[in-house]
Amino acid sequence: MLGYLLKRLIQMTLVLWVVSVIVFLMMSFTGDPVFMVVPIDASDAEIAQARRLLGLDDSLPVQYWKFLTSLLQGDFGRSYVFRQPAMTLILERMPATVELVLVAMALAIAVAIPLGVYAGANPQSRISRVIMAGSLLGISLPGFWIGMVLIYLFAVHWGIFPSSGRGDTVEIFGIRLSILTWDGWTHIVLPAVTLSLATMAIILRITRAGMMEVGRQDFMKFARAKGATRGDVLYKHGLKNALIPVVTIFGLQLGDLIAFATITETIFSWPGMGKLLIDSIYRADRPVIVVYLMLVALIFVVINFLVDVIYMLIDPRIRLK
């Protein structure tokens, strides 16, 4: 286990280093940040001074070395727009994104797993076909369109839920959370449903495929032969052995939703990292974009590591090599 952990740590470090190179090169060739920090009527001398202060008059290798050493020290620079440390801005918005994603993933799992098990155990039934047709719609319909439809129906037409914002929040250990208030829950329902539908459909289809594959195995026949109830056969024997691909998809989708909840957050004016990223891209706020990209890369490598560990917990036959 120790050797495996060291190997994965080296792999994670290498991946993050490659991401840092890509992010640096991408930021270096996407506009000049000097004009974000100097007045419109700045003279050539003021522009040159700003370029010198930002280190942009150095060669690319020197700029990257300074960039990398700053990252290792946790210094991502100050936002050109908000005049605050970029990391502080991201961390302030992160709880909103995380709670939205966790609610969306919990909703997706709660709906997709039972429906996937049923559809896999009864593949020819009419209800199963309806479930699979619904999952196909969930994958095919674009999220921004679903969000607008939900806003029109539940916020504008029926007035059940609010259409934007995060609602009331409560501070716990210095972190502001909206899921601990009723007003916060009313605000999170629509964006969480919008964000969860595609993930719900994917997990449902993966669960169904896994259950159909497991259902043909001998141990399932033996479980039925020894008199186990249908529920025990499906959930204790079948689902446990069909969970490995589901865990893989869950991990990938969790990272994907955290990284790319930007459209949903923009539609519902949800004050999370995604909306901050969109605003920063519009304003060419380079430090905030860099923090976001590096944080997302870190989240992905950590989630992939945790998924590999969960594999072994689900199926002890899997060995870490």
Side-chain angles (χ1 to χ4, degrees), residues 154-210:
F154 291 95
V156 177
H157 187 66
W158 292 323
I160 300 175
F161 298 110
S163 62
S164 62
R166 192 182 178 194
D168 296 335
T169 60
V170 175
E171 186 170 335
I172 303 293
F173 301 114
I175 301 175
R176 303 205 68 85
L177 300 174
S178 64
I179 57 175
L180 300 179
T181 67
W182 175 252
D183 186 58
W185 273 107
T186 60
H187 282 78
I188 204 173
V189 168
L190 294 185
V193 170
T194 301
L195 199 60
S196 69
L197 287 181
T199 299
M200 186 186 302
I202 293 172
I203 294 177
L204 191 157
R205 298 180 75 87
I206 294 295
T207 303
R208 175 183 179 271

Side-chain angles (χ1 to χ4, degrees), residues 240-259:
K240 183 177 180 180
N241 288 275
L243 273 182
I244 288 181
V246 176
V247 170
T248 303
I249 294 299
F250 178 85
L252 293 175
Q253 289 297 116
L254 180 60
D256 188 69
L257 292 186
I258 293 176

